[in-house]
Amino acid sequence: MKSKRPRKKRLHKASNIYDVARHARVSVFTVSAVVNKNGNVSPTLRRRVEAAVQKLNYRPNLLARGLVMRQTHTIGIVVRDIVNPFFPLLVRGAEDAAQKAGYSVLLCNSDDQREKEEQYLELLLSKRVDGILLNKAPGNLSASRRNLLAESRVPVVSLMRTSPDLKGDAVITDDEKGAFEAVSHLARVGHRQIALVSGPLSVSNGKARWRGFRKALQASGLQYEPDLVIEGDYHIDSGYRAGLFLLPRRPDAVFVANYLMTVGLMKAADEIGLRCPEDFGLASFDDYPWLSCFRPRLTTVELPKYEIGATAVQILLERISGKRIRRSLVKLMPELHVRESCGFMLRKRDSKEDSLTPQEKPYAASAAPELQ
Amino acid sequence: MKSKRPRKKRLHKASNIYDVARHARVSVFTVSAVVNKNGNVSPTLRRRVEAAVQKLNYRPNLLARGLVMRQTHTIGIVVRDIVNPFFPLLVRGAEDAAQKAGYSVLLCNSDDQREKEEQYLELLLSKRVDGILLNKAPGNLSASRRNLLAESRVPVVSLMRTSPDLKGDAVITDDEKGAFEAVSHLARVGHRQIALVSGPLSVSNGKARWRGFRKALQASGLQYEPDLVIEGDYHIDSGYRAGLFLLPRRPDAVFVANYLMTVGLMKAADEIGLRCPEDFGLASFDDYPWLSCFRPRLTTVELPKYEIGATAVQILLERISGKRIRRSLVKLMPELHVRESCGFMLRKRDSKEDSLTPQEKPYAASAAPELQ
DNA sequence: TTGTAGGCGTTATCAA
DNA sequence: TTGATAACGCCTACAA
């Protein structure tokens, strides 16, 4: 009863804890205790409070709660672009894990631009998120932002890419191994001249995939030919340009470091008039369930996207609750899926060994022991 | 200087407006005025404040601001599933528009389940979002939730689907027209027996696509055969089952009401051993740029996904700012993209009229006047 | 078990 | 132009 004057605008206000307390003829403490199910409240008062809550449609204001508790139960997730088909499943994994723990997700698209990324990070800090999932754009954070981040003590978990200026936890995949296996498979199938469309070498996983490629050539006794290596940027267009450059040189096969560049490369092949797998073998990263019925089926290194997101949130939550102390770097394993784009089927057919239907064979092959 | 006791745990606290005020030897009012660039502050004080802000790495706590301003500059967006390839671009359109206006996006996946959807709506209200974008799950909201929503006065813009219990704004597409054009095209190409895998008829756009199908048959002088119509639920599996049922009946063509069901149908075709477009023509909804290099290329009704999201946020913001008064229902136009899955190429080839390369022809056709 | 009052970090009103 | 101070809605230590 301390409000001296009536509200001016009769702004439509949701009822608050005081309204409920008044209605139930109890104190705000009691209401709070009932709503948060802590402390012991006598059945009588509890019933009165519950009735009032019901009657007034009371819902606690999470802003106010966050302010006093210093916890928003919100995490921010910064990805390059949710439209890039790699991210939806990852984000979904993160959202599911977050939701189960009572957290919500603030989604940010950085477009791989440092400036945008930094602005989002600042915004997230200002919104007082409890933690951040970050798929880092190339380059380092500015010193001031890094400082701000460190000082805020808000935990950050890196996704897919590590960065020297991010000294927190990270969830990545063993991309070197994935690339190694894919390229080894291309070699095993009989391809000798294998070209590479790599990701940006300035990015940790771009570099890792390149290393895997190189080591596989070596292990297969093939020559690394710089002329057959093009550095792309993970976007469609760079794959297209790489295709226009590489395919006319007629390599036996191409290994492309991600899916979008594969799309670009195949567009180039289309224009040039080359077909996969008849004219060149192809293996790449990332598989998508909705591709399974289109041709050619791609031989790919599949990454556990959902798990990446879910695991990252898991780690973040442990960090938030103070359980986790030591820095952890989780490396998830990729899985080679052999299908027809690599030319596997053709070779088999040539040698008259094939009798299975096209859709069964690749899966059988992908479970072959040598791929572990 | 009113804190009576030292902080207990030496909890790491970000500096607040009082810290800055003390440091700059001014009042909090001055700091606030400088930070928000309103009011007139003398250059001297402004400089002092700015220096202090810099020094202390001060960033306003948006929770506190939101509490007093009753505005969080956050919107919630509830989609069925961000993994459904329809949504990323829509969400991106929304996020871009939101970001430009200084808003952030809270992402929620309802999985098309009413219960999950309602829980998210409540959470969003509790978090005091300024507005909500909602792709409604089938069925109506419970009376209590609807009531809560109405009472909260938080504007909701429906996406793609309208619902009788949502009396707010909506952004939808003219799905009836889209379906009509696609099916008319199938008929024009020469297909007589056209099957339909529809979306859920309990959902507004599922119904609309069904109506378009029906009207197109009528306009083309074809019979509507209930045996050739299967109601699906927009998920892959229902398309698969529909395919297993429909394809053995050897329709000339199939119209599938969305992309995921098309994937399922093609999987069924694969298993049965039927090929598209040789054995049956196919047209469906939703096109994706990363499909362009795979076969068969789909004849699709393309929806302006990005615009849907962007427009919805636009409307939401106008509603939030109180500019928009009347309810608005925006209906965006789809666009038919003719490619090879409908059998267009085959017919042409049969009649020896085709001389263009496969990848050029469809685009030329899609610009044909009769498709406007 | 229940109530009171102070504080969380802002903005905004009203004096000075 | 500036400063003091009351909201905003919640939680919680401390008192009763």
Side-chain angles (χ1 to χ4, degrees), chain A residues 207-222:
Chain A
K207 193 65 166 279
R209 293 172 194 192
W210 175 82
R211 274 199 310 271
F213 171 81
R214 181 135 196 186
K215 288 191 181 172
L217 288 192
Q218 205 162 31
S220 307
L222 299 178

Side-chain angles (χ1 to χ4, degrees), chain B residues 242-263:
Chain B
L244 290 185
F245 176 85
L246 290 172
L247 294 176
R249 287 169 169 64
R250 302 305 309 268
D252 295 330
V254 185
F255 177 63
V256 187
N258 85 336
Y259 173 66
L260 289 183
M261 292 195 297
T262 298
V263 169

Side-chain angles (χ1 to χ4, degrees), chain A residues 236-266:
Chain A
I236 289 183
D237 199 50
S238 72
Y240 173 71
R241 287 196 309 271
L244 289 185
F245 177 85
L246 290 172
L247 293 176
R249 287 168 169 64
R250 301 307 306 271
D252 295 330
V254 186
F255 178 63
V256 188
N258 85 337
Y259 174 65
L260 289 184
M261 293 194 298
T262 298
V263 169
L265 184 110
M266 289 187 53

Side-chain angles (χ1 to χ4, degrees), chain A residues 262 266 276-277 282-284 287-289 291-300 337-345 357-363, chain B residues 266-271 293-295:
Chain A
T262 298
M266 289 187 53
C276 169
L282 177 65
S284 68
D287 184 28
Y288 299 97
L291 280 182
S292 64
C293 55
F294 290 87
R295 298 296 189 288
R297 290 195 177 95
L298 296 179
T299 290
T300 60
H337 288 194
V338 176
R339 304 214 184 75
E340 60 207 32
S341 75
C342 56
F344 179 74
M345 305 303 304
T357 60
Q359 65 268 25
E360 282 167 342
K361 188 58 179 241
Y363 290 92
Chain B
M266 289 187 55
K267 183 170 163 232
D270 243 17
E271 293 185 7
C293 55
F294 290 88
R295 298 295 188 287

Side-chain angles (χ1 to χ4, degrees), chain B residues 54-308:
Chain B
Q54 178 87 22
K55 177 92 183 297
L56 300 178
N57 252 333
Y58 170 72
R59 295 294 183 282
N61 181 327
L62 262 25
L63 281 183
R65 179 181 289 174
L67 185 59
V68 46
M69 301 293 276
R70 302 162 168 295
Q71 269 224 48
T72 54
H73 286 277
T74 303
I75 66 173
I77 171 163
V78 184
V79 297
R80 305 210 296 287
D81 181 6
I82 189 67
V83 174
N84 180 327
F86 181 79
F87 291 105
L89 192 52
L90 186 155
V91 167
R92 183 64 208 258
E95 206 262 333
D96 280 359
Q99 192 260 342
K100 267 181 210 138
Y103 278 73
S104 346
V105 169
L106 230 26
L107 179 69
C108 311
N109 297 106
S110 74
D111 283 321
D112 232 352
Q113 293 169 220
R114 247 186 50 198
E115 190 48 39
K116 228 178 147 187
E117 171 177 284
E118 298 206 354
Q119 268 162 11
Y120 269 123
L121 289 176
E122 252 197 80
L123 182 66
L124 292 174
L125 292 183
S126 285
K127 293 218 170 185
R128 297 299 189 263
V129 296
D130 296 339
I132 296 175
L133 258 45
L134 173 62
N135 179 244
K136 184 80 188 63
N140 288 326
L141 290 175
S142 68
S144 74
R145 292 298 178 14
R146 196 172 357 162
N147 187 21
L148 189 67
L149 207 56
E151 218 171 61
S152 75
R153 299 288 172 94
V154 172
V156 175
V157 175
S158 300
L159 298 173
M160 294 301 294
R161 299 171 169 188
T162 55
S163 173
D165 58 341
L166 254 31
K167 40 192 213 63
D169 308 306
V171 177
I172 62 176
T173 47
D174 195 337
D175 291 1
E176 179 173 330
K177 185 181 172 206
F180 181 88
E181 290 190 354
V183 176
S184 296
H185 179 79
L186 287 175
R188 193 161 45 235
V189 168
H191 299 297
R192 315 311 299 169
Q193 281 228 321
I194 304 178
L196 168 67
V197 183
S198 89
L201 297 178
S202 59
V203 164
S204 64
N205 64 4
K207 194 65 165 278
R209 293 172 195 192
W210 175 82
R211 274 200 309 273
F213 171 81
R214 182 135 195 186
K215 287 192 180 172
L217 289 192
Q218 205 163 32
S220 307
L222 299 178
Q223 190 85 30
Y224 176 87
E225 299 180 34
D227 289 358
L228 290 182
V229 174
I230 295 280
E231 178 178 352
D233 62 6
Y234 283 153
H235 294 293
I236 288 183
D237 198 51
S238 72
Y240 173 71
R241 288 196 308 272
L244 290 185
F245 176 85
L246 290 172
L247 294 176
R249 287 169 169 64
R250 302 305 309 268
D252 295 330
V254 185
F255 177 63
V256 187
N258 85 336
Y259 173 66
L260 289 183
M261 292 195 297
T262 298
V263 169
L265 184 110
M266 289 187 55
K267 183 170 163 232
D270 243 17
E271 293 185 7
I272 296 173
L274 292 176
R275 292 190 310 167
C276 170
E278 291 84 350
D279 298 318
F280 64 97
L282 177 65
S284 69
F285 261 79
D286 307 338
D287 184 28
Y288 299 96
W290 21 263
L291 280 182
S292 64
C293 55
F294 290 88
R295 298 295 188 287
R297 290 195 178 94
L298 296 178
T299 290
T300 60
V301 179
E302 170 63 356
L303 304 178
K305 300 181 262 288
Y306 186 92
E307 284 72 22
I308 295 168

